[in-house]
Amino acid sequence: MSIKLYDGMRLTAHAPDIFELTRVISKRMREVFRELAVRIIARNVARVVDDAEVRERDMGGPSHHYLVYRARKLWLDEQAGLVDRITFHDPLRFSIVFGQVSDGCGTRQLAYPFSGNRAYTEALMALEANGRPLFAEYHYHYQADRPKEIREDEWKRRRDDWNHLLDADDRETDGTLGHLPGWQLPDSIEGVFDAVLRGRKDTIDLNVHCTVEDRMRRALNRAVVLYLGLDEVNGISRALTRNRRIEHAIELYLSTAHGVAIPRPALLPDTRNLGIAVSKLPPVYEPPAGAVARISELYRAGVGC
């Protein structure tokens, strides 16, 4: 069977029973979800504040919390335009399934997370009880080369364990892990947007989660694309390559004396004042024309790329 289970995990001897473990996972994953969701809210609020086109388009909606309303619609519109196989319309999704294998070598409890962000998997691997980890990596991929640090008998055991759980010959499972018990994150980013709109929220410092420096770099990137009239590229590889070149040109410019002195965007509004009138929003950030022209020259020249 050709399988690639890069996020496979094994429960250690320090892990509690599955019921207590699920409670621990639920608490931590919902904390991680909130951390990620706040970043998305901050980033989209910043886009409304900093982009004249976004701010001027679709001025409808409730007058209270205009920024969050517009940011929510911006995010939902983009999600609706992305294909399911890339986003599943929920980049913060998370679920985990558990399975058990028993043989002459003993009993092993395995787990496999499905997530839209690596932060969940990293948080799982960091879970501890009395300073001892609850999970150990137990990945497997059906390729010619096994990792040098894993013994051949261990690698074969991993293969057999995952094949046993997948059980491709069983029509019920159809070679997936969907038949195994598990836990799924019940929260959604849309729900967090709605909670903020209704005022059921803790205080969020938007400027911590979307810094002035981040916003300035994004504005410079967008301005260079417009200045050069770069057409939309097809293919993830080409898009990443072009974006890396632009980011490198921006980095080079910002390391110069002129770059250090470039004006920065105004701070985002405090979350307690998100209901401010549109007319009282901070001014739209316009990168200096000279800076955009110089970065465009560096991009064309491919200096250091």
Side-chain angles (χ1 to χ4, degrees), residues 19-281:
F19 299 103
E20 175 63 16
L21 181 60
T22 301
R23 186 191 68 81
V24 172
I25 290 174
S26 172
K27 181 177 184 297
R28 183 64 186 117
M29 294 305 100
R30 298 187 80 169
E31 291 172 348
V32 174
F33 166 80
R34 176 172 171 75
E35 294 166 6
L36 297 173
V38 167
R39 294 177 199 169
I40 289 178
I41 291 175
R43 184 170 64 246
N44 282 280
V45 167
R47 292 172 66 189
V48 176
V49 170
D50 293 334
D51 191 326
E53 181 182 355
V54 171
R55 187 189 291 193
E56 293 170 3
R57 188 176 62 235
D58 184 22
M59 297 293 284
S63 59
H64 64 289
H65 289 352
Y66 164 79
L67 285 178
V68 179
Y69 172 83
R70 187 67 194 90
R72 175 183 180 275
K73 189 175 189 306
L74 181 66
W75 184 81
L76 288 174
D77 286 349
E78 289 189 346
Q79 282 292 295
L82 295 172
V83 295
D84 286 349
R85 67 182 178 83
I86 294 177
T87 67
F88 296 91
H89 297 295
D90 186 357
L92 301 189
R93 67 193 183 282
F94 173 82
S95 62
I96 185 169
V97 295
F98 303 97
Q100 181 169 294
V101 178
S102 297
D103 56 21
C105 296
T107 297
R108 293 171 297 284
Q109 293 180 315
L110 310 185
Y112 200 88
F114 300 90
S115 64
N117 193 294
R118 292 293 302 174
Y120 290 115
T121 305
E122 293 168 2
L124 279 176
M125 294 298 292
L127 287 175
E128 295 181 341
N130 299 319
R132 304 293 183 87
L134 303 185
F135 291 96
E137 74 84 16
Y138 204 71
H139 81 281
Y140 179 78
H141 54 83
Y142 191 79
Q143 295 175 343
D145 299 326
R146 63 177 168 82
K148 294 181 179 179
E149 66 274 12
I150 300 178
R151 300 191 315 270
E152 186 173 351
D153 59 335
E154 166 72 6
W155 194 241
K156 180 179 181 299
R157 184 176 300 120
R158 293 188 183 196
R159 180 199 66 192
D160 294 343
D161 285 352
W162 288 115
N163 279 343
H164 176 78
L165 292 181
L166 288 165
D167 199 3
D169 295 329
D170 188 337
R171 293 183 180 179
E172 293 289 330
T173 67
D174 192 28
T176 71
L177 299 172
H179 61 293
L180 298 175
W183 180 83
Q184 181 173 339
L185 182 75
D187 306 311
S188 70
I189 179 61
E190 186 176 359
V192 179
F193 272 114
D194 290 342
V196 174
L197 278 171
R198 291 191 293 269
R200 299 205 314 269
K201 59 177 179 57
D202 299 325
T203 300
I204 299 171
D205 189 340
L206 299 175
N207 295 291
V208 167
H209 299 283
C210 189
T211 67
V212 167
E213 188 78 9
D214 293 334
R215 294 160 57 205
M216 179 188 67
R217 289 171 181 268
R218 185 171 60 246
L220 286 169
N221 192 311
R222 183 174 60 245
V224 168
V225 170
L226 293 173
Y227 181 87
L228 294 175
L230 299 176
D231 295 328
E232 184 175 346
V233 294
N234 295 320
I236 294 176
S237 179
R238 290 184 60 200
L240 290 175
T241 299
R242 190 180 78 178
N243 193 63
R244 279 196 296 267
R245 285 185 59 197
I246 295 175
E247 291 297 328
H248 183 69
I250 291 173
E251 191 70 36
L252 289 175
Y253 176 78
L254 292 179
S255 66
T256 67
H258 289 293
V260 171
I262 187 175
R264 264 59 176 173
L267 290 174
L268 296 174
D270 188 277
T271 51
R272 290 169 294 186
N273 301 318
L274 286 180
I276 61 178
V278 176
S279 60
K280 295 183 179 180
L281 288 177

